[in-house]
Amino acid sequence: RERLRREFAVARAAAWEPGAAPAGAGPGFAAQVDLAAVFLERAVRLASPGGAIALLLPVKLWQSLAGGGARRFVAEEMRVLLIEDHTEAPAAFDAAVYPSLLVARRLPSPDAPVTVSSYHCGSAPLRWRARWSSIPFDDSPGAPWLLLPPDARRAFDRVRGAGGPLAESVIGRPHLGVKCGCNDAFVVQLVDCDDDVAVIEGSDGRRATIERVLLRPLARGEHLARWNRPERSEWIIWTHDAGGAPLERLPAHAARWFARWRHALMSRTDARHGARWWSLFRTESARTDRPRVIWCDLGREPRASVIATGDGLVPINSCYAARCADDRDAFTLAALLNGPLARAWLNAIAEPARGGYRRYFGWTLSLLPLPRDWARARDVLGALGERAARSAPGDRELLDAALDAYELEHDDVAPLIAWALG
């Protein structure tokens, strides 16, 4: 990594900082670099002034936080002629890959036309022309590229202009779910329990007794559904106190249970910074003093659920959570995330994954515009969210309510919804 940072501009400034900072991306994030970006820079340096290059590259270079350096380099050094998104094209490789084709010349990059092509929803390639300035999310260096047809891009920007980013709202930035670093030690099945102790079973079938007070129900992203709190199928051994700090000492049963994993737990990267070896990490999402909205980090939609104040459910790091001031804020946010407007907007910027899935990372949700008139949004969306546990509203009702909250019309957003949701 040190050598790459010395020799390559794309590695020295890999992150898109305007997106990383609001999402609370850790300091180690800036050290990440996709090696494809290094090949891109090397190819450009080898080209003569005015010379052309054509490369197959991961499409995430144009959309991920860690691709910021590559996008900035392209904007400063090249004139892009063609971008092809092959994410949803028929399989051309044995491996699961999400390729793109970039054709460019080594020239300054004025606001010239670019040809964009996409195998959208597995269709024959669709092509359109766009000004280079209409491709990035905004005018910040290294901003993600949005490979949207012009009418869908205009709709995307209308929604963005009707609100402010979640990270800057009354709700604030999302929190990644709790990180164990050793699921075998912390994640268990509950076999039996009484008031004081419980019988648990680990992933290897081993059973033991543990203090009942240490067990909290667990949520994985893949088990989340829209609106409904996930069932208690798995539990996590919660080695922290009510304030979130690691216990000063493990109780007797827990100490015996964790003894066999002590070396593995001490070897975790996060445990090398002075934390007690039985600590969990990134525990903010598990605090129970406020209602929370949790959603999956991978799917065709965010699939959001409201977790009431006092509910001990612990989302692990295949989930994200937003801590809300009150129940109405939580129900409003859930109704927005579960509706087609937010889904279309997020799917236009979220990193792609296999089978039409998207990655709803914290930075992606941090950018989601919430309606500027939040009181109005609470009135029209919050009521839908509150009754969803009894009678889930349909997409049309959620869309109408979201448009009312943003003070937009159907025609304003129809091209974005048609493109992003097929």
Side-chain angles (χ1 to χ4, degrees):
R1 285 182 178 179
E2 291 179 2
R3 179 187 172 194
L4 291 176
R5 284 195 292 269
R6 284 196 310 271
E7 298 184 9
F8 294 94
V10 295
R12 286 193 293 276
W16 177 49
E17 292 297 342
F29 175 80
Q32 297 181 19
V33 61
D34 192 312
L35 287 179
V38 173
F39 279 84
L40 168 64
E41 180 173 338
R42 185 63 171 156
V44 173
R45 298 299 187 203
L46 290 172
S48 300
I53 66 165
L55 293 173
L56 281 174
L57 296 161
V59 75
K60 70 177 182 178
L61 278 187
W62 318 133
Q63 295 176 291
S64 68
L65 278 186
R71 295 188 294 268
R72 182 172 185 168
F73 179 80
V74 169
E76 292 175 350
E77 300 283 343
M78 306 168 74
R79 179 178 298 173
V80 177
L81 305 177
L82 171 68
I83 311 168
E84 289 188 357
D85 181 356
H86 289 252
T87 301
E88 299 180 28
F93 299 92
D94 290 335
V97 294
Y98 315 107
S100 67
L101 171 66
L102 178 75
V103 180
R105 299 182 73 90
R106 190 176 183 187
L107 291 169
S109 52
D111 192 15
V114 179
T115 298
V116 184
S117 176
S118 174
Y119 287 81
H120 187 56
C121 298
S123 67
L126 304 174
R127 285 183 176 243
W128 62 90
R129 297 279 280 174
R131 304 297 299 183
W132 171 250
S133 60
S134 71
I135 301 293
F137 175 76
D138 60 21
D139 58 4
S140 63
W145 296 356
L146 302 183
L147 305 183
L148 297 173
D151 57 348
R153 178 58 196 261
R154 286 190 291 271
F156 180 93
D157 289 337
R158 286 192 187 101
V159 177
R160 185 180 170 207
L166 172 65
E168 300 173 12
S169 72
V170 295
I171 294 175
R173 69 174 179 84
H175 301 278
L176 180 62
V178 171
K179 181 180 177 182
C180 299
C182 182
N183 282 2
D184 287 343
F186 288 95
V187 179
V188 298
Q189 299 284 338
L190 180 61
V191 178
D192 194 12
C193 67
D194 58 30
D195 291 340
D196 298 321
V197 296
V199 178
I200 57 172
E201 182 175 292
S203 59
D204 59 356
R206 174 176 174 249
R207 291 190 175 188
T209 299
I210 201 163
E211 289 77 10
R212 174 69 180 84
V213 70
L214 297 184
L215 292 180
R216 289 176 62 174
L218 177 75
R220 295 179 185 266
E222 58 267 33
H223 296 157
L224 295 181
R226 290 204 292 173
W227 309 117
N228 297 319
R229 181 194 186 284
E231 297 296 327
R232 298 182 176 186
S233 59
E234 291 181 298
W235 298 74
I236 188 169
I237 304 174
W238 191 251
T239 55
H240 292 237
D241 61 25
L247 297 173
E248 292 187 8
R249 178 180 298 178
L250 288 173
H253 292 299
R256 283 194 292 273
W257 170 261
F258 281 111
R260 64 185 297 203
W261 285 288
R262 178 167 182 158
H263 178 74
L265 296 178
M266 292 179 68
S267 300
R268 295 174 297 169
T269 301
D270 292 307
R272 298 172 187 170
H273 303 291
R276 291 184 171 86
W277 61 266
W278 54 82
S279 293
L280 294 157
F281 309 107
R282 299 171 184 165
T283 58
E284 185 74 9
S285 64
R287 289 179 56 183
T288 63
D289 56 326
R290 293 184 186 180
R292 295 167 287 161
V293 177
I294 63 172
W295 61 88
C296 58
D297 71 345
L298 178 67
R300 296 180 185 272
E301 59 185 12
R303 303 198 308 271
S305 299
V306 175
I307 308 301
T309 302
D311 189 324
L313 186 74
V314 175
I316 62 170
N317 61 344
S318 55
C319 307
Y320 282 88
R323 287 169 37 80
C324 301
D326 56 32
D327 290 345
R328 181 51 72 99
D329 272 3
F331 286 120
T332 302
L333 180 59
L336 185 62
L337 292 180
N338 285 332
L341 184 56
R343 191 186 318 152
W345 197 93
L346 291 168
N347 283 359
I349 192 170
E351 295 176 37
R354 192 182 185 95
Y357 282 59
R358 293 291 186 272
R359 300 185 184 280
Y360 301 109
F361 293 141
W363 74 268
T364 309
L365 270 291
S366 290
L367 297 175
L368 176 69
L370 298 193
R372 295 195 186 282
D373 189 343
W374 188 242
R376 180 189 185 100
R378 282 166 55 97
D379 287 341
V380 298
L381 286 167
L384 290 181
E386 284 186 24
R387 74 168 171 82
R390 304 185 305 274
S391 175
D395 274 359
R396 183 60 191 229
E397 190 175 8
L398 289 166
L399 176 59
D400 289 344
L403 291 173
D404 188 358
Y406 285 104
E407 301 184 72
L408 294 171
E409 301 294 332
H410 281 270
D411 288 347
D412 294 330
V413 302
L416 175 64
I417 292 176
W419 175 263
L421 304 185

